Amino acid sequence: MSATDEGSAVPPASKGSWGSFLKGIANFNGDLSSLTAPAFILSTTSLVEFSAYWTEHPSLFVAPSLEPDPAKRALLVLKWFLSTLKQQYSSRSEKLGSEKKPLNPFLGELFLGKWEDDKTGVTQLVSEQVSHHPPATAYSIWNDKHGVQLQGYNAQKASFSRTIHVKQIGHALLTLTPPTTAGNNAPRPETYLITLPSLHIENLIYGNPFVELNKFTHIASSTGYVAKIDYSGRGWLSGKKNTFTASLWKEGEGDEKNPLYTADGQWSDSFVMRQGKKGKEVETYSASSCQTSPLLVAPTEKQDPFESRRAWANVAKNIDKGDMDAVSHYKTRIENAQRELRKKEREDGREWKRRFFHQAREENEPVFQKLVKSVSGAYGYGWTGIEADKTGGIWRFNADEAKNAEPPYHSEGAEALGEKAS
């Protein structure tokens, strides 16, 4: 790469701010929320909305609950997980031309929505910013018709070495109940622990950034099935970005080198699932041609003040207009109001009440404990573990709270965001 190639995708008017940004991140090590990015790579979407990427294919989300065979069921969980990667990590750059820096959620920020489908039924989403220092987002996605629920939380820690490297901290738990069969008329619920991939930003120096996954993740089931997914980028061997290989086996009956199923390809394009290492092809999945289902969200004017799109409406509008003075004004208004609210809480000796999530204790969840141990080094897999201190705790969904929840979700209302009470 020559010096003239650097910043080749940066608009001429933004060359100066882009150069300052690159210099500023050269020694960066911390959470992404503290990075100040140039206007042309700012997103109008808050990070709290990213939870929706888990379930933009509701039929794949519920499919494992319909499969009576446990090995095939574990394979369907792996397929669903792989299908989420394109939406989570490449859909924004494909839609917008490059990866954008999302808005930093404020404590208590909410994103609520649902998917509706004649066959799948209603799949609901609740996402909430449960911690601000450190920043962490918790979410729950569930489909009552099929008895499937995903809940989890995540935070990010970034560092810089030639580009931005991001370690994702947290996990997801998928819970489902298999269908009844002649041999099992009372199937027990199953839990799948899903760890989160590390990533780095490619093409940053050109001003046209996109996400690439690296290292590995696991899916460990309470039924004993384990999947390991290894990620690699555009290398001199494959020549293709977003590549991966995956193996699925049952503990005590196989391992990564002797799997029941394998999968390989590009998570942003297509991949093939096979029996064993080089056995019969089970299915080819095309991520690039699989249509997503639209997420239904209440109109902005009917949302609660703490719902993301209403809270950030003025900021998003002015990012689109390119009016960075107005963007700064409205962002600062929210940030200052939040600081005042935290100060008042400290003075009153109280803590912010989360609306839909609570802190859990690992020792009260024996199934979760067992799954954590299975992927935290006991078998040489090397997951770094829960790291609750970096996410503000272990977060779990309050299903009973969600059933009867109606706005207003917080008594503080719009004043907590710097707006005048209506």
Side-chain angles (χ1 to χ4, degrees), residues 77-149:
V77 171
L78 174 61
K79 175 188 173 184
W80 157 75
F81 171 75
L82 294 171
S83 77
T84 71
L85 299 179
K86 175 182 172 65
Q87 298 309 120
Q88 295 198 63
Y89 302 111
S90 74
S91 61
R92 295 178 300 278
S93 60
E94 291 180 6
K95 179 181 178 181
L96 303 173
S98 69
E99 188 66 32
K100 305 291 184 181
K101 182 182 183 295
L103 296 168
N104 305 323
F106 54 85
L107 184 60
E109 184 176 335
L110 299 169
F111 185 63
L112 313 174
K114 62 182 178 179
W115 297 266
E116 292 183 345
D117 179 84
D118 291 340
K119 292 183 179 180
T120 307
V122 178
T123 304
Q124 294 180 274
L125 162 71
V126 170
S127 183
E128 179 176 0
Q129 191 72 4
V130 290
S131 178
H132 190 63
H133 294 296
T137 306
Y139 52 86
S140 181
I141 302 168
W142 69 98
N143 183 297
D144 287 335
K145 178 179 178 180
H146 294 280
V148 182
Q149 185 201 23

Side-chain angles (χ1 to χ4, degrees), residues 347-364:
E347 292 172 351
D348 294 345
R350 58 187 174 88
E351 187 178 339
W352 176 256
K353 181 176 173 54
R354 281 71 177 177
R355 190 65 177 86
F356 294 103
F357 296 85
H358 67 275
Q359 291 183 328
R361 298 177 67 89
E362 183 185 356
E363 57 267 30
N364 294 335

Side-chain angles (χ1 to χ4, degrees), residues 199-273:
L199 57 94
H200 63 274
I201 308 299
E202 294 275 6
N203 270 23
L204 183 65
I205 201 164
Y206 296 105
N208 185 30
F210 68 88
V211 170
E212 185 63 88
L213 304 183
N214 50 265
K215 299 185 179 180
F216 55 84
T217 56
H218 288 94
I219 303 173
S221 170
S222 56
T223 56
Y225 291 91
V226 178
K228 180 171 182 277
I229 305 101
D230 289 281
Y231 307 96
S232 59
R234 193 199 312 271
W236 64 274
L237 283 175
S238 69
K240 296 180 179 179
K241 67 178 183 179
N242 308 148
T243 57
F244 77 93
T245 59
S247 298
L248 171 66
W249 67 93
K250 187 172 185 181
E251 289 187 293
E253 298 179 12
D255 53 33
E256 186 178 358
K257 295 182 179 179
N258 299 283
L260 289 168
Y261 296 101
T262 56
D264 63 85
Q266 292 174 273
W267 49 262
S268 59
D269 188 10
S270 65
F271 56 84
V272 179
M273 296 180 289

Side-chain angles (χ1 to χ4, degrees), residues 252-310:
E253 298 179 12
D255 53 33
E256 186 178 358
K257 295 182 179 179
N258 299 283
L260 289 168
Y261 296 101
T262 56
D264 63 85
Q266 292 174 273
W267 49 262
S268 59
D269 188 10
S270 65
F271 56 84
V272 179
M273 296 180 289
R274 298 181 177 86
Q275 294 178 352
K277 273 200 165 184
K278 296 183 180 180
K280 181 182 177 182
E281 183 177 315
V282 176
E283 182 182 351
T284 295
Y285 175 78
S286 175
S288 57
S289 62
C290 190
Q291 292 290 329
T292 59
S293 297
L295 177 67
L296 305 178
V297 180
T300 303
E301 65 273 12
K302 294 184 178 181
Q303 292 182 10
D304 183 84
F306 277 78
E307 289 188 69
S308 184
R309 293 185 183 177
R310 175 175 169 182

